[in-house]
Amino acid sequence: MTTRFRDTLSGELRPLEPIEPGHIGIYSCGPTVYGPTHIGNFRSFLFADILVRYLRYRGLTVTWVMNVTDIDDRIIANANAAGEPIGDLTGRWLERFKADFAALRMTPPDVLPRATEHIDEMVAIIGRLLERGHAYRTDDGSIFFRISSWPAYGRLARLDPAQLQVGERVEADDYGKDDVRDFALWKGPKPGEPSWDTAIGPGRPGWHIECSAMSMRHLGESFDIHTGGVDLIFPHHEDEIAQSEASTGKTFVRTWMHCDHLRLGGAKMARRVGNIARVSELLEQGVSPRALRYALIAVHYRQALEYTDESIAAAAAAIERLDTIESALDAYAQERPDATDLDEVLAGARARFEAALDDDLNVSAALAAVFDLVRELNRRIAERSMSTADAARALGTLRDLDRVLAILPDEAPGLPPGAAELLAARETARADRDWASSDRLRDELAALGVAVEDTRDGQRWKRSEGV
Ligand SMILES: [Zn+2]
């Protein structure tokens, strides 16, 4: 089975063919660090996380680059409004972003480059665009990309060439399809704005040039996969393609993958709509990080995802089922010959899981394969029809598939101090049929965040997680 992903530019499902055999370079547009990143952004980042994890599971070496925009119109406005140095503001929100992605078990990107550390690379690209006639200066020292010089402009966003407003300019970093005009590569110096002295004159970069500079610096002039949310297709990614290809003469990106919106209360989650939810707020409200991760990854990336109380409750229930099977398989002990058909069942589940992800990263079908396997294993546990070794092999398969999903409980979760002694005392109490002490010890363990359950295989415990 070939791994195929849908490429936004061609509109086709394309087989994954690495530029360099065995290696995939992936660039994901990352956060603009002027405030907390909301879970709509995290849906897009976690889609890229699943992509990276799956390609690694498939044995490929992946270099994952996610940029940090630490200079743009909004950052400058927020820092000026708060009377705070820009570096302090962006540094604080970058740390928060890292804490949030760790809580959501996102793979740390291999490179997390900051825009302000790549000014030289941006200046070099803009210099080449000026030399080749794809860019021009204005009186205030700004430099714009000339879209009429690039006939392919508009292919990604499927723009009608009649929409192009030739010779007119848009200065804002973010603009809509009604403003298909020459866009700012470099912004001339202004009072109250940071400025760099460079070979193309003083000023600061526009937003779009940042991603061309950082992706090509870390992945080369042509690389395999570029990801982002659908709202970045225009103008951001359209502009990235134009300025990158016009400066190098090479194909910029092989496959463009775009993640659909997260919706809350019937509308796309967006700061300007005001319907945003942040990771730390949800965790403080008692949502478990694993349930939140599950809720954000469980729907195919090209479908809109509605975040509701019901969707997070369903995610929490799914996590609970995984916790239960994990501890049941871990505790399972049965002296009997190995089941003759278990390997086939495990291999079948794995084949379904891989076929789903090979088919344009169909994570909902991959999760269905996992939960069908969980149901089958629960049946076998109830029947006592597996050997101890069978249960270990089944758990090994679940753990291996979880390299992609990262939703199972941590392996060998540590007990809080004092809990091991209470568990041992409770085991003795139960052996002595001292049910009153056993119940009291269960309550004491619960107070430490350890949930105990009695099974045929003895007492089983797990860390209780708020949901
Ligand atoms: Zn970007």
Side-chain angles (χ1 to χ4, degrees), residues 27-30 67 69 207-208 210-212 214 226-228 232 236-237 240 256:
Y27 185 86
S28 301
C29 287
N67 73 295
T69 297
W207 171 37
H208 314 296
E210 297 177 5
C211 284
S212 289
M214 289 187 271
H226 195 314
T227 79
L232 294 183
H236 188 53
H237 292 164
E240 274 190 48
W256 286 90

Short mmCIF file of all heavy atoms in Angstrom, two decimals, residues 27-30 67 69 207-208 210-212 214 226-228 232 236-237 240 256, ligand 1:
data_model
loop_
_atom_site.label_atom_id
_atom_site.label_comp_id
_atom_site.label_asym_id
_atom_site.label_seq_id
_atom_site.Cartn_x
_atom_site.Cartn_y
_atom_site.Cartn_z
N TYR A 27 7.42 21.35 6.89
CA TYR A 27 7.36 22.69 7.48
C TYR A 27 5.91 22.99 7.85
O TYR A 27 5.01 22.83 7.03
CB TYR A 27 7.85 23.73 6.48
CG TYR A 27 7.92 25.13 7.05
CD1 TYR A 27 9.06 25.56 7.74
CD2 TYR A 27 6.86 26.03 6.92
CE1 TYR A 27 9.14 26.84 8.28
CE2 TYR A 27 6.93 27.31 7.45
CZ TYR A 27 8.07 27.72 8.13
OH TYR A 27 8.14 28.97 8.66
N SER A 28 5.71 23.43 9.08
CA SER A 28 4.36 23.80 9.55
C SER A 28 4.38 25.24 10.01
O SER A 28 5.25 25.63 10.79
CB SER A 28 3.94 22.91 10.73
OG SER A 28 3.95 21.55 10.36
N CYS A 29 3.42 26.03 9.51
CA CYS A 29 3.30 27.40 10.00
C CYS A 29 2.90 27.34 11.46
O CYS A 29 1.89 26.72 11.82
CB CYS A 29 2.26 28.17 9.20
SG CYS A 29 2.86 28.58 7.55
N GLY A 30 3.71 27.94 12.30
CA GLY A 30 3.50 27.85 13.75
C GLY A 30 2.79 29.06 14.31
O GLY A 30 2.14 29.81 13.58
N ASN A 67 7.76 27.19 12.55
CA ASN A 67 8.29 28.52 12.84
C ASN A 67 7.54 29.20 13.98
O ASN A 67 6.41 28.83 14.32
CB ASN A 67 8.18 29.42 11.60
CG ASN A 67 6.75 29.82 11.36
OD1 ASN A 67 5.92 28.98 11.06
ND2 ASN A 67 6.45 31.09 11.53
N THR A 69 6.45 33.03 14.75
CA THR A 69 6.41 34.41 14.29
C THR A 69 6.52 35.31 15.51
O THR A 69 5.61 35.36 16.34
CB THR A 69 5.10 34.69 13.52
OG1 THR A 69 5.09 33.87 12.36
CG2 THR A 69 5.01 36.14 13.11
N TRP A 207 5.10 39.55 7.01
CA TRP A 207 4.87 38.23 7.61
C TRP A 207 5.22 37.09 6.64
O TRP A 207 5.90 36.13 7.02
CB TRP A 207 3.40 38.14 8.04
CG TRP A 207 2.93 36.80 8.48
CD1 TRP A 207 3.63 35.86 9.20
CD2 TRP A 207 1.64 36.23 8.24
NE1 TRP A 207 2.86 34.75 9.43
CE2 TRP A 207 1.63 34.95 8.85
CE3 TRP A 207 0.49 36.67 7.58
CZ2 TRP A 207 0.50 34.12 8.80
CZ3 TRP A 207 -0.62 35.84 7.56
CH2 TRP A 207 -0.61 34.58 8.16
N HIS A 208 4.80 37.19 5.39
CA HIS A 208 4.89 36.05 4.48
C HIS A 208 6.33 35.63 4.20
O HIS A 208 6.63 34.44 4.09
CB HIS A 208 4.16 36.36 3.17
CG HIS A 208 2.83 36.98 3.42
ND1 HIS A 208 1.82 36.31 4.04
CD2 HIS A 208 2.36 38.24 3.19
CE1 HIS A 208 0.77 37.12 4.16
NE2 HIS A 208 1.07 38.29 3.65
N GLU A 210 8.81 35.57 6.07
CA GLU A 210 9.40 34.82 7.19
C GLU A 210 9.39 33.33 6.91
O GLU A 210 10.38 32.62 7.12
CB GLU A 210 8.61 35.06 8.48
CG GLU A 210 8.61 36.49 8.96
CD GLU A 210 7.74 36.67 10.19
OE1 GLU A 210 7.21 35.66 10.72
OE2 GLU A 210 7.59 37.83 10.63
N CYS A 211 8.24 32.83 6.45
CA CYS A 211 8.11 31.38 6.29
C CYS A 211 8.94 30.87 5.11
O CYS A 211 9.48 29.76 5.17
CB CYS A 211 6.65 30.98 6.18
SG CYS A 211 5.84 31.04 7.80
N SER A 212 9.05 31.66 4.03
CA SER A 212 9.92 31.24 2.92
C SER A 212 11.36 31.14 3.40
O SER A 212 12.07 30.18 3.09
CB SER A 212 9.83 32.25 1.78
OG SER A 212 8.57 32.17 1.14
N MET A 214 12.59 30.80 6.53
CA MET A 214 12.88 29.79 7.55
C MET A 214 12.74 28.38 7.01
O MET A 214 13.51 27.49 7.37
CB MET A 214 11.99 30.01 8.78
CG MET A 214 12.40 31.26 9.55
SD MET A 214 11.53 31.46 11.10
CE MET A 214 10.11 32.39 10.55
N HIS A 226 4.38 20.89 3.24
CA HIS A 226 4.11 22.13 3.98
C HIS A 226 2.70 22.01 4.52
O HIS A 226 1.78 21.69 3.78
CB HIS A 226 4.24 23.31 3.01
CG HIS A 226 4.34 24.66 3.68
ND1 HIS A 226 3.50 25.06 4.71
CD2 HIS A 226 5.17 25.71 3.45
CE1 HIS A 226 3.83 26.30 5.07
NE2 HIS A 226 4.84 26.72 4.33
N THR A 227 2.52 22.25 5.82
CA THR A 227 1.18 22.16 6.42
C THR A 227 0.77 23.51 6.99
O THR A 227 1.59 24.38 7.25
CB THR A 227 1.10 21.12 7.56
OG1 THR A 227 1.66 21.69 8.76
CG2 THR A 227 1.83 19.84 7.21
N GLY A 228 -0.54 23.62 7.21
CA GLY A 228 -1.10 24.81 7.85
C GLY A 228 -2.61 24.69 7.88
O GLY A 228 -3.18 23.74 7.33
N LEU A 232 -4.79 29.74 5.95
CA LEU A 232 -3.47 30.25 5.52
C LEU A 232 -3.26 30.10 4.01
O LEU A 232 -2.27 30.61 3.47
CB LEU A 232 -2.35 29.52 6.27
CG LEU A 232 -2.29 29.78 7.78
CD1 LEU A 232 -1.08 29.06 8.40
CD2 LEU A 232 -2.20 31.28 8.09
N HIS A 236 -1.36 33.86 2.74
CA HIS A 236 -0.04 33.50 3.25
C HIS A 236 0.70 32.49 2.36
O HIS A 236 1.83 32.74 1.93
CB HIS A 236 -0.16 33.00 4.68
CG HIS A 236 1.13 32.77 5.38
ND1 HIS A 236 2.12 33.73 5.46
CD2 HIS A 236 1.63 31.67 6.02
CE1 HIS A 236 3.15 33.24 6.13
NE2 HIS A 236 2.88 32.01 6.48
N HIS A 237 0.08 31.36 2.08
CA HIS A 237 0.80 30.33 1.32
C HIS A 237 0.91 30.67 -0.16
O HIS A 237 1.90 30.33 -0.81
CB HIS A 237 0.14 28.96 1.54
CG HIS A 237 0.31 28.46 2.95
ND1 HIS A 237 -0.43 27.45 3.50
CD2 HIS A 237 1.17 28.87 3.94
CE1 HIS A 237 -0.05 27.24 4.75
NE2 HIS A 237 0.91 28.09 5.05
N GLU A 240 3.86 32.82 -0.17
CA GLU A 240 5.08 32.02 0.06
C GLU A 240 5.56 31.37 -1.23
O GLU A 240 6.75 31.37 -1.55
CB GLU A 240 4.82 30.91 1.09
CG GLU A 240 4.97 31.32 2.54
CD GLU A 240 4.92 30.10 3.46
OE1 GLU A 240 5.62 29.10 3.18
OE2 GLU A 240 4.17 30.12 4.44
N TRP A 256 1.20 20.19 -0.48
CA TRP A 256 0.60 21.14 0.48
C TRP A 256 -0.57 20.47 1.18
O TRP A 256 -1.49 19.99 0.52
CB TRP A 256 0.08 22.38 -0.26
CG TRP A 256 1.15 23.30 -0.73
CD1 TRP A 256 1.79 23.27 -1.94
CD2 TRP A 256 1.69 24.42 -0.02
NE1 TRP A 256 2.70 24.28 -2.01
CE2 TRP A 256 2.67 25.01 -0.85
CE3 TRP A 256 1.46 24.98 1.24
CZ2 TRP A 256 3.41 26.13 -0.46
CZ3 TRP A 256 2.19 26.08 1.62
CH2 TRP A 256 3.16 26.65 0.79
ZN ZN B 1 3.77 30.52 7.58
#
